[in-house]
Amino acid sequence: MESVWKKEVPPFAHGQEGALPRRTEVAIVGGGLVGVLTALYLKENGIDSVVLEAGEAPGVGQSGRTTGKITCQHGLKYAALIRDKGESAARTWASACQGAIHAYEGIVGRLGLSCDLEMLPALLYTQKNDGALEREASAARRCGIAAELRRRTDLPFDVSLALSYPRQAQLQPYKFLLGVASRVRVFCGVRVTAIKGRHLLTEEGDEIEAQRVVLACHYPIGLLPSTVFTRLWQSTSYVLALGGVRPLAGMYYGIDRDGLSLRSHGSTLLLTGMSHRTGEEHPPAFEALEGRAREYFPEGHVVTRWAAQDCMSEDGLPLVGPASPLTPHHYIATGFSKWGMTGAMLAAQMIAGDIVGAPHFAAPLCSPARFTLSRLRATARQVGETARGWGRRLFEVPAELSHELAPGEGEIALSGGIKVAHSRDEQGEEHILRPYCTHMGCQVNYNPDTLSWDCPCHGSRFSEEGKVLDAPATKPLSKKPTAQGDTP
Ligand SMILES: Cc1cc2nc3c(=O)[nH]c(=O)nc-3n(C[C@H](O)[C@H](O)[C@H](O)COP(=O)(O)OP(=O)(O)OC[C@H]3O[C@@H](n4cnc5c(N)ncnc54)[C@H](O)[C@@H]3O)c2cc1C
């Protein structure tokens, strides 16, 4: 399940050795793109920071599993932005994203990174919804993007219309990320479990004092009084890497319900799709993706496959800036809605800009304090989903535990009157865990595609042994199940 990116790169050898510093100007939680880019911009402005990464290396989260398109084409974005926020806001967003693409080019040049950066068009395509693409074309042009409608593409299936955004970019995201990470101070294997004012506590019992804290951990952890968890949800998508496929001349994104995202990396083609709310039961995703791959690319063979998830925001724009007016020294950067390559660059520029007193021109658009009607709808939905997760915990009565599970299967079951999360890993070993997410206590679901326990409320993920795979959880699933009404 390793991404094609990680398979190509030797282990990271630039992590900081020795004890954590007791004090720092800025502590950055999470060594994904947001974390390392923020640290780079701060360093370039003479500000001391440390990146604290829970994994064994930077980029073990979504940034090492992305498809790595760097584009101002974010699906059907600009028509919706003009409708909901006005033309000036939409133009500002387009210009900020175009600036983020230039910033990638700038960093690659400045640091001399070798990361397969290529300038290519990014295309939206449809097989049935020409009207939506025509409206998007006109909106994108009003925002200053020279987008062009086309009837033909080099995709191996017919499209009824495509919309091309010229001079966008793609790169090998993991090479880029590790290149940046090797220029900043990153401590690996450090999981932050709590933030108390200006103090961060780690799983190992260390404490760091920071003037400012940047939560670059994808889904912000441990934040009160922020209400960010009432607005965000996570969506999982699946990626298949196919070898032996003729490179495509552009990066593609299908706007139809069953549309796929496609990009080439040399003769490897990445086919992405089958999205669903993280933690939700779903039809076998890799099987469906492999069916589409056989149909469109019969010459290809599967090199690897993996899944990733992203935080979705109420209005499709990220949430970047102070977490709440009561905690101006806690920054969040999240809600990239599957466009976090440009988003991470902008988040890093916005947070570093705020810290050095040079605010980014698009920062107000991403302010976590913004209020829209869609925020109310998102909050209602999130509260409903959390209630549903707790409802399953309290009222759903599963069958007695069976020992019949095949490798790669999992079930919520009753064992001695107590609910358990029961799975059998691919080596045939059985695991029994407490089935309640350690973030807010919702009942988790087994995902047979990723062999993990995923939480449908806020998208935390756990391995079959109970280890935290994805935030917002910071603590593992317990191996000692207790009565189901217990608090987490
Ligand atoms: C399938 C898929 C394809 C995508 N493709 C694209 C694309 O082509 N273009 C695009 O623009 N965007 C894309 N995205 C979105 C983009 O990949 C993400 O938005 C972006 O990588 C998020 O970066 P991040 O730094 O916020 O998070 P991450 O990369 O997840 O970094 C967070 C880090 O924090 C660490 N962490 C978590 N909790 C803790 C803790 N308690 N203590 C310490 N460390 C912690 C994690 O280990 C992780 O390394 C895609 C998303 C998906 C799901």
Side-chain angles (χ1 to χ4, degrees):
M1 293 254 188
E2 190 100 295
S3 75
V4 74
W5 315 124
K6 291 190 190 159
K7 281 178 176 286
E8 289 179 354
V9 177
F12 182 66
H14 298 276
Q16 299 290 304
E17 303 287 341
L20 291 174
R22 306 280 294 271
R23 278 186 199 81
T24 176
E25 244 173 299
V26 183
I28 300 173
V29 183
L33 272 171
V34 173
V36 300
L37 283 169
T38 304
L40 181 72
Y41 277 116
L42 290 174
K43 182 179 170 186
E44 290 181 344
N45 281 282
I47 295 188
D48 171 54
S49 75
V50 289
V51 178
L52 307 170
E53 167 54 49
E56 74 284 359
V60 296
Q62 316 315 320
S63 302
R65 308 180 210 157
T66 175
T67 43
K69 302 173 182 170
I70 307 170
T71 146
C72 65
Q73 170 267 291
H74 292 175
L76 296 177
K77 182 70 138 214
Y78 295 98
L81 274 183
I82 292 175
R83 183 193 63 213
D84 297 341
K85 296 184 188 276
E87 187 161 330
S88 162
R91 288 182 76 90
T92 301
W93 184 245
S95 150
C97 291
Q98 212 48 62
I101 301 173
H102 296 316
Y104 273 96
E105 288 183 88
I107 290 175
V108 169
R110 208 156 69 236
L111 303 187
L113 302 181
S114 159
C115 57
D116 312 325
L117 177 69
E118 286 177 85
M119 305 313 286
L120 285 178
L123 295 97
L124 297 176
Y125 71 87
T126 180
Q127 295 182 301
K128 53 191 168 216
N129 200 351
D130 293 12
L133 267 197
E134 281 157 3
R135 284 190 293 280
E136 188 64 16
S138 128
R141 286 187 210 117
R142 280 166 66 189
C143 294
I145 303 168
E148 278 175 23
L149 287 166
R150 290 190 193 171
R151 293 277 166 205
R152 299 176 71 122
T153 69
D154 64 340
L155 288 170
F157 48 82
D158 290 335
V159 306
S160 60
L161 196 61
L163 177 62
S164 174
Y165 294 66
R167 211 168 184 286
Q168 307 296 295
Q170 64 179 25
L171 48 59
Q172 210 286 26
Y174 202 51
K175 283 188 187 168
F176 174 83
L177 191 150
L178 293 195
V180 176
S182 64
R183 267 81 170 178
V184 298
R185 282 211 293 165
V186 185
F187 286 86
C188 298
V190 179
R191 185 174 294 282
V192 174
T193 50
I195 297 151
K196 299 206 164 121
R198 297 184 195 275
H199 296 259
L200 291 88
L201 309 180
T202 75
E203 200 170 34
E204 298 294 316
D206 292 310
E207 187 170 334
I208 301 173
E209 186 183 348
Q211 292 309 305
R212 291 186 170 85
V213 178
V214 179
L215 289 162
C217 45
H218 191 235
Y219 194 121
I221 57 160
L223 275 181
L224 288 172
S226 165
T227 53
V228 72
F229 63 89
T230 63
R231 303 161 72 174
L232 289 178
W233 58 283
Q234 299 209 49
S235 168
T236 301
S237 305
Y238 299 83
V239 188
L240 212 57
L242 298 174
V245 177
R246 181 181 53 81
L248 295 172
M251 304 169 271
Y252 289 91
Y253 181 82
I255 64 158
D256 302 331
R257 205 178 156 73
D258 57 351
L260 296 171
S261 156
L262 303 95
R263 71 157 277 193
S264 295
H265 172 57
S267 60
T268 304
L269 179 100
L270 303 188
L271 198 61
T272 306
M274 311 302 152
S275 305
H276 61 83
R277 184 183 174 98
T278 304
E280 217 168 49
E281 283 172 29
H282 59 278
F286 284 125
E287 199 178 301
L289 210 48
E290 281 173 22
R292 305 280 294 273
R294 277 194 298 277
E295 186 185 343
Y296 302 140
F297 302 100
E299 73 281 21
H301 59 274
V302 177
V303 176
T304 184
R305 59 188 206 176
W306 69 93
Q309 65 194 59
D310 210 8
C311 296
M312 314 299 283
S313 75
E314 67 240 15
D315 55 7
L317 293 181
L319 298 164
V320 180
S324 88
L326 296 176
T327 52
H329 50 288
H330 287 169
Y331 291 89
I332 60 170
T334 185
F336 296 117
S337 307
K338 306 229 173 132
W339 298 108
M341 295 292 298
T342 37
M345 182 62 77
L346 290 173
Q349 292 175 339
M350 287 173 187
I351 292 172
D354 197 71
I355 291 174
V356 304
H360 190 283
F361 66 93
L365 276 181
C366 300
S367 165
R370 68 184 182 267
F371 185 79
T372 56
L373 274 184
S374 52
R375 177 167 170 182
L376 284 183
R377 281 195 295 273
T379 299
R381 179 159 180 218
Q382 271 313 111
V383 171
E385 291 292 342
T386 308
R388 204 149 71 98
W390 261 89
R392 288 180 56 231
R393 170 180 176 152
L394 293 175
F395 304 116
E396 192 181 88
V397 183
E400 279 297 319
L401 183 138
S402 96
H403 286 276
E404 306 294 309
L405 292 184
E409 285 183 353
E411 61 176 5
I412 299 290
L414 275 186
S415 172
I418 289 173
K419 261 194 207 180
V420 296
H422 173 215
S423 66
R424 189 181 294 279
D425 66 27
E426 288 195 309
Q427 286 67 46
E429 195 182 330
E430 268 186 282
H431 301 276
I432 293 192
L433 301 167
R434 195 159 190 261
Y436 309 127
C437 180
T438 54
H439 173 232
M440 283 201 182
C442 295
Q443 184 173 305
V444 293
N445 262 330
Y446 188 72
N447 183 343
D449 279 300
T450 52
L451 310 178
S452 58
W453 291 100
D454 301 355
C455 179
C457 291
H458 304 97
S460 298
R461 292 180 57 247
F462 304 87
S463 72
E464 288 171 313
E465 295 85 27
K467 280 194 215 138
V468 178
L469 297 175
D470 284 309
T474 57
K475 298 196 174 112
L477 289 182
S478 163
K479 295 194 172 154
K480 287 196 187 131
T482 47
Q484 67 194 52
D486 286 359
T487 46

